[in-house]
Each structure stands twice: as C-alpha cells, then as structure tokens.
Amino acid sequence: MRLLNRLNQFQRLWQPSEGEPVQATIAELAGRCFCSERHVRTLLNHLQDAGWLTWRARSGRGKRGELTFLVTPESLRSSMMEEVLHKGQHQNALDLAQIAPEQLRHLLQPFLGGQWQNDTPTLRIPYYRPLEPLQPGFMPGRAEQHLAGQVFSGLTRFVTHSTLPQPDLAHHWQVSDDGLSWHFFIRSTLHWHSGEAVETSQLQQRLLMLLTLPAMRRLFISVKTIEQPHAQCLQFVLHRPDYWLPWRLASYCSRLSHPDDAQLGCGAFRIASFQENLVRIESHESYHLSHPLLKAIEYWITPALFDTALGTSCRHPVQIAIGQQDDLVHLRPVSNSISLGFCYLAIKQNGSLTPQQARMLMQIVRKHEVIATLPVEESLITPSTEMIPGWTIPEWQTLENVALPPKLTLLYHLPVELHAMARQIKQHLAALGCELTLIFHDAKNWADCAALDDADILMGDRLIGEAPEYTLEQWLRSDILWPRLLSGAQYARLQATLDAVQIHPDNATRYAGLKDVFSSLMKEAIVTPLFNYRYQISAPPGVNGIELNAWGWFDFTQAWLPPPSIS
C-alpha cells in the first residue's frame, strides 16, 4: 500500500522532533528514512504537495534546510482510514491500524459500532480472535455456529421465542401415518449467494455429503435414504420413526451450503471477505425470507484491543461489546440473559470411582462455595441449579466417611474458566488425601483428544441452541464423549432409550422421556452441570434491534441503524 509507506516515511521525519520545526541536511533526512538523498528530495516534494509539511532548502552542499510539519501522523492516519473505509477498502483500513495497541484503541474507536458507509448501514464488531472457516456439520466455536446460521439456510430453521422448527428452504412438510416417510416441499425461488438458482438435487447432494460425517451420521441414524420424488420435493425414508427430524434439520449443523463450494450458501447474508483479521458479510439481495435491515456486518479481528483490565471479552466472549472497547462501561447494555448452555462435570463409569465415590465427588464439586470462590469475574458465571429450566439437579443424602482413591485424573477442555475450576477441585481433593492429576485439552470439544480413555473425571462446555430439549438429545446422539464415558452396556441402553423416545409424535411426550434420561444420568452421578454464563451485549446509542439469542449473539437480520441525520 503506497499511501501507508508514505505515511510511515512521514512519521520517521516527524518523530525526532515530535512535530517541532527542525533544521537538517538532506543527508540526515535520508538517514532517517533509510533511503538515498535523491529519493528523500522526491519524497519531500510529494509530502509538500500533499500539504503535510514545508521544506525550505538552502543552496550549497551540506547546508541545513528548514522542515516544518503541518499535520500529525495520527491525524493523517485517521483521515486515511476514513477515506479507505468510505471506499470499502477494509483491508487497507486494517493495514493502517497496525500500530501500538494503546494507539490502535484510540484510532479505531470512531469506526467501530454502527456506521453508514456509502449511504448503507454497516455494523462493525471488534472481536478477540480469528474466526475459523465455516464448514458443513458440527463446529466447536459459538461465534462460528451463530455465523453459520446467518450465512446458510436449512430445510427448516429455529426462530427467536420458539422451540419449534419453522419453514426455511422448505415451505411445508408432511409425515406419513407410520412416521417413516417425510416429504419436504422446497421453495421455487431460491438462489445461492452467487446468483445461481438453487436446484433441489443440489440440496439432496449436500445432505448426502453431510451424512458421510461420523457425528452427523450418528445424529441421522434413523435415515435410510434421501430421495427426490419431484423437482421441488425431498423425501426422507426412515428405518424407524423419528419425530425429531424437523428439529435435526433446523440445527446449525444441518445448514446447507452449495455442494461444490462449502462457503456459498443462500442465507440472509453472504460472505464478502473471510480473512484472519477481517470477516465481512453482506445482505443477500435474493434471500427468500425477510431481508436484513443492515447492509453489512464486519468482525474486526483485533486482539490488541482486548486488554485484560477491560472485562471478560478478552477471555470468554459472553459479554460482547459493539463499539469502543475502551469505553465498555459507557456503552448501553441492550440485552442480557443467563445462558441455557453450561459447563459440566462427568465421571467415567467402570473406572477408578465406585458409585458411592462418584456421588461423594459430585457433592464436593457441587458445593456452591467451590464455584462461588472461583477467581473469575462475579458477573461472568452463576452456579447451575438445574440442567435446563425444569430439569432440577437431584439431591442426595450427605455422604460422609467415603474415602476417595489416592490418585485420580481430571481431563478438561475450554473455556478458560475451567482452568480455575480444575485447580479448585484439585485443592479440595488434596485436603481429602486424593492427588488429582490435571490434563488440559486445548480445544472447545473432545475431537482428537487422545487422553479421553485415561481420565476418571471430565469437564467441558455444552452449548444449548434454540430448542433446549432437542439440543440435549443431539448431544447424547453425536458427542464422542458418551461412548467413552459410559460402559458398552450403558451406551447401548442409552441409544435404545433415545430410539424409544423419538418415535412419539407428541412433543410433550418426547420432552418428558428425554427429561427422564437426564434425570437418571444426574441421579447416578454420571454428569452434572456446574455453572451457566451471564450473556450480555452492549452497544452504542443508535444501534437498534439487538436481542440476545440462545447462542449469546443476536439475529443480524433484526439489527438496524437510523440514518445519520436523525440518529
């Protein structure tokens, strides 16, 4: 970027005197800019023509001329950023912003939050880490899961304030009396983000590709075939009835991308840029449902903005700040909630712990003072009292004089709050004569974790989507945790129970059956929730339509900005 190079050269000239007029020779100025005397003369002419400085040379070799600065590097950088942003040159803006963190925060503040760019509304969100490329099937990151729901569409979908699946790519569906044949009727006016019309055969092809993924195959284990009986219809033929099918198809993992391009969807927003330091999505003009009110959403991946003194955004993204991170306390909290998702503790069966020891251990861990004394922000977590609303944690008789094994192993993965939890548990068990070995799996799920078979105790994070009961069924169906945690007989019995629950057409009956499954898992000291997160979104005045969803984010299609003249 030539303009950035010129700015850097100007800054080299400016720094020694911090903008005060100086007298210097051409040779001295060339030394500051690491260039030849001929080049520095050309540079001075260009900078003078641009109105950045004045240079009054004196005749004679070695004579000192006078250099006067008319602007500061900071003002130049800010005006350049504004210029390239108005031109839509987002990468150039980020290049301009790569300076010291304390300067970066000051420089970016005017550009984050809600902005009108070229007369179109744009929302810019500072984010603490690079986003992983979106891929078909399950993804570990909450931000990626939410983003997939904005970029891709499924045959069905979930909407805010409803746990029931709604039409999406399919406008209606029908099920046979025996529950073994499901017809999904596809809209006739669908378009991919490329402008290409969606063909039903493409959706069928992508669905079949999804079923080759092991976790997705476990989720759709009842599906026998996916057929296309008509140009605008897909038919699912099942081995056994599965009345969770519309829920399974509405989950983010079942969103459909183009069979030849996993980044191309037909959702409300299309991917315009997906880079390590900038992700930009833009509204899809041919979207088949209600169109977004914003033109674009940008994630500015700027880890330097997130100082540990500024709150939790730099450690766990449950408190999202749209806009000036320096002024976090001044932003307007627009939405907050307690997450349905939770961090959990699980105990391996047929391992080192007897059933009584497992209960003893869970009683120790579930003591609220253990969680309440974690060295994390008070506003970040809250101890769990139920798995999801209405599914209470069972109470046991207080166990005493139950000796724990002399040595145990605890395996845990992200989020980082489980670091503190693991240390607390180790400290409590040491007082009881049990030495706890801690193993950290640096990931957001159990994929590729070689230590799963060696652990006695496990801790992880369970995200809960828009349909809590179904999301927990999906967890039991798909997560590799369960066959490693349970004995072979227990796992086979669990899957058989899930099969028996899914055949009921009545939603309430399936919910009750699933509640019984988890009540049993908690009562037998196999798994227990530990704590939930306090989700919060803060935004500057003028950013409207933001309401927390189940992922701790907000529906990008509902956010809006008033025009600048009336904001």
Side-chain angles (χ1 to χ4, degrees):
M1 184 180 178
R2 183 176 297 178
L3 200 58
L4 178 59
N5 291 335
R6 189 166 294 176
L7 175 60
N8 289 335
Q9 294 286 55
F10 175 76
Q11 189 156 333
R12 290 190 183 105
L13 296 172
W14 187 89
Q15 278 178 336
S17 67
E18 296 185 347
E20 293 298 320
V22 295
Q23 291 187 345
T25 66
I26 284 292
E28 290 171 343
L29 297 180
R32 292 180 191 176
C33 296
F34 307 104
C35 63
S36 66
E37 293 184 16
R38 179 179 178 182
H39 180 80
V40 84
R41 286 192 179 94
T42 303
L43 174 66
L44 290 170
N45 288 334
H46 285 314
L47 299 182
Q48 187 161 262
D49 291 343
W52 296 5
L53 53 74
T54 59
W55 167 248
R56 293 184 176 85
R58 294 180 62 186
S59 58
R61 185 170 181 82
K63 294 291 186 180
R64 294 181 175 276
E66 185 173 350
L67 187 63
T68 304
F69 299 95
L70 305 178
V71 293
T72 67
E74 289 77 11
S75 65
L76 285 174
R77 196 181 298 267
S78 184
S79 63
M80 286 180 184
M81 282 188 66
E82 186 170 3
E83 180 181 349
V84 296
L85 282 171
H86 281 306
K87 291 179 179 178
Q89 298 171 354
H90 315 94
Q91 185 57 51
N92 287 345
L94 285 168
D95 290 340
L96 281 165
Q98 299 310 305
I99 55 177
E102 62 275 6
Q103 299 177 50
L104 179 61
R105 285 195 292 270
H106 175 74
L107 189 61
L108 286 184
Q109 281 179 2
F111 303 106
L112 298 176
Q115 301 285 328
W116 279 75
Q117 177 184 309
N118 295 336
D119 294 326
T120 58
T122 301
L123 191 64
R124 297 192 177 101
I125 303 171
Y127 204 60
Y128 78 115
R129 65 168 176 85
L131 295 173
E132 296 293 329
L134 303 184
Q135 61 186 26
F138 289 101
M139 291 178 287
R142 185 165 53 91
E144 286 84 356
Q145 293 176 13
H146 169 69
L147 187 57
Q150 308 294 305
V151 172
F152 304 113
S153 294
L155 295 186
T156 57
R157 68 184 185 124
F158 291 119
V159 298
T160 306
H161 305 309
S162 176
T163 61
L164 300 179
Q166 305 295 320
D168 196 350
L169 298 177
H171 56 82
H172 287 87
W173 60 89
Q174 294 177 351
V175 57
S176 62
D177 292 339
D178 61 6
L180 296 176
S181 179
W182 294 71
H183 288 83
F184 291 84
F185 303 101
I186 309 302
R187 299 178 192 270
S188 59
T189 56
L190 302 174
H191 288 83
W192 298 107
H193 293 152
S194 61
E196 170 193 357
V198 173
E199 298 179 7
T200 303
S201 59
Q202 294 174 319
L203 303 180
Q204 178 193 29
Q205 184 180 353
R206 174 51 77 181
L207 282 165
L208 293 173
M209 292 167 69
L210 281 176
L211 295 190
T212 65
L213 303 174
M216 294 296 290
R217 186 60 201 158
R218 291 193 294 271
L219 187 63
F220 287 92
I221 194 169
S222 299
V223 174
K224 182 179 180 181
T225 60
I226 302 175
E227 302 172 359
Q228 186 184 344
H230 183 271
Q232 301 300 136
C233 180
L234 285 175
Q235 180 185 11
F236 287 73
V237 180
L238 309 185
H239 294 288
R240 69 178 66 87
D242 182 6
Y243 285 91
W244 290 119
L245 184 60
W247 278 258
R248 302 195 197 284
L249 293 170
S251 178
Y252 85 90
C253 60
S254 301
R255 298 294 178 107
L256 302 177
S257 59
H258 194 287
D260 299 326
D261 185 350
Q263 301 299 296
L264 189 64
C266 49
F269 289 88
R270 63 179 181 85
I271 297 174
S273 174
F274 208 112
Q275 302 175 51
E276 185 177 1
N277 51 13
L278 175 74
V279 172
R280 177 181 168 92
I281 57 175
E282 298 177 351
S283 60
H284 176 32
E285 293 79 3
S286 300
Y287 184 49
H288 53 282
L289 297 176
S290 178
H291 282 217
L293 304 175
L294 292 173
K295 171 62 179 176
I297 307 284
E298 293 176 356
Y299 297 77
W300 285 39
I301 316 300
T302 49
L305 287 178
F306 294 88
D307 188 334
T308 55
L310 295 178
T312 61
S313 296
C314 57
R315 292 181 286 116
H316 195 290
V318 298
Q319 297 185 353
I320 300 169
I322 302 168
Q324 304 175 19
Q325 191 69 12
D326 263 356
D327 290 334
L328 188 62
V329 295
H330 302 302
L331 295 179
R332 176 174 54 103
V334 293
S335 190
N336 59 76
S337 67
I338 301 298
S339 70
L340 290 175
F342 50 82
C343 286
Y344 63 86
L345 180 140
I347 296 178
K348 184 173 289 185
Q349 304 301 289
N350 294 345
S352 302
L353 290 158
T354 66
Q356 269 203 326
Q357 288 172 330
R359 287 190 178 189
M360 177 72 174
L361 178 61
M362 281 202 176
Q363 281 186 351
I364 294 169
V365 173
R366 280 220 43 82
K367 287 181 179 178
H368 282 188
E369 58 263 27
V370 175
I371 299 173
T373 56
L374 290 179
V376 298
E377 276 197 46
E378 186 178 347
S379 61
L380 181 61
I381 63 173
T382 183
S384 302
T385 57
E386 50 192 1
M387 182 156 277
I388 58 174
W391 294 18
T392 57
I393 299 170
E395 293 290 338
W396 301 305
Q397 269 191 328
T398 302
L399 296 174
E400 296 179 358
N401 302 320
V402 176
L404 295 174
K407 292 186 177 182
L408 289 171
T409 300
L410 169 62
L411 171 67
Y412 65 100
H413 64 61
L414 292 169
V416 294
E417 287 74 31
L418 290 182
H419 284 302
M421 190 72 196
R423 289 192 293 268
Q424 290 281 79
I425 296 173
K426 182 173 183 175
Q427 180 181 339
H428 277 74
L429 295 194
L432 298 173
C434 177
E435 180 185 345
L436 189 63
T437 299
L438 303 181
I439 302 176
F440 173 55
H441 177 53
D442 191 9
K444 297 173 184 174
N445 58 26
W446 298 117
D448 303 318
C449 181
L452 263 177
D453 292 328
D454 303 322
D456 303 300
I457 312 164
L458 300 102
M459 288 197 304
D461 186 29
R462 183 67 249 160
L463 296 173
I464 299 294
E466 296 90 338
E469 295 88 355
Y470 164 71
T471 306
L472 288 174
E473 198 271 356
Q474 177 177 284
W475 185 27
L476 296 178
R477 282 284 189 195
S478 300
D479 201 310
I480 62 171
L481 166 71
W482 298 102
R484 306 291 187 88
L485 185 69
L486 303 175
S487 68
Q490 285 176 316
Y491 185 68
R493 188 163 59 249
L494 173 64
Q495 297 304 309
T497 303
L498 296 179
D499 291 344
V501 168
Q502 73 178 34
I503 68 173
H504 294 286
D506 178 63
N507 295 338
T509 303
R510 292 200 311 282
Y511 295 164
L514 200 58
K515 179 180 178 181
D516 289 342
V517 171
F518 274 96
S519 294
S520 177
L521 290 171
M522 289 190 288
K523 188 175 182 179
E524 294 173 18
I526 295 174
V527 67
T528 187
L530 297 172
F531 52 81
N532 303 78
Y533 285 101
R534 298 178 185 271
Y535 287 156
Q536 179 175 302
I537 294 182
S538 299
V543 179
N544 302 289
I546 291 179
E547 181 180 354
L548 273 167
N549 61 17
W551 304 104
W553 282 84
F554 58 96
D555 187 348
F556 290 164
T557 66
Q558 299 301 309
W560 62 279
L561 301 171
S565 58
I566 60 174
S567 60

